[in-house]
Amino acid sequence: LSPRPAGLTVLNEPESSLHPDLLPALAALITRASETAQIVVVTHSADLVAALRGDDVGLLELTRRDGQTVVEGQGPLDEPAWHWPGRN
């Protein structure tokens, strides 16, 4: 609700310590904030994800497969071309 919000705000598990009945209100605040800034929400709450779903919501679901974190539905050729420089 800042009068001058940052261009990008990352919320890491904003539902933690909240009663589940408050998730719709939290989703409404996040949706309102997203009208003037890009918002990234990291959550384990399926209820919060459901409350945030809408036309302008991009969802990336991460899962663990063979010891690594992967983006669900992303094929090997869809991955970004990361290049990790070697150490000297």
Side-chain angles (χ1 to χ4, degrees):
L1 299 176
S2 171
R4 291 187 305 164
L8 170 66
T9 300
V10 179
L11 302 172
N12 186 25
E13 298 187 17
E15 77 283 358
S16 60
S17 301
L18 288 182
H19 190 278
D21 290 346
L22 294 174
L23 293 181
L26 174 61
L29 285 172
I30 292 170
T31 300
R32 181 175 167 193
S34 72
E35 294 171 359
T36 57
Q38 182 178 5
I39 308 294
V40 175
V41 180
V42 180
T43 183
H44 290 100
S45 171
D47 292 334
L48 180 58
V49 171
L52 287 171
R53 286 199 186 266
D55 292 336
D56 294 335
V57 174
L59 175 65
L60 293 176
E61 186 175 349
L62 303 178
T63 58
R64 194 155 181 95
R65 187 176 307 137
D66 298 326
Q68 68 180 13
T69 303
V70 296
V71 178
E72 272 302 310
Q74 185 180 63
L77 299 178
D78 299 328
E79 296 177 5
W82 296 105
H83 172 71
W84 298 100
R87 295 185 179 193
N88 293 337

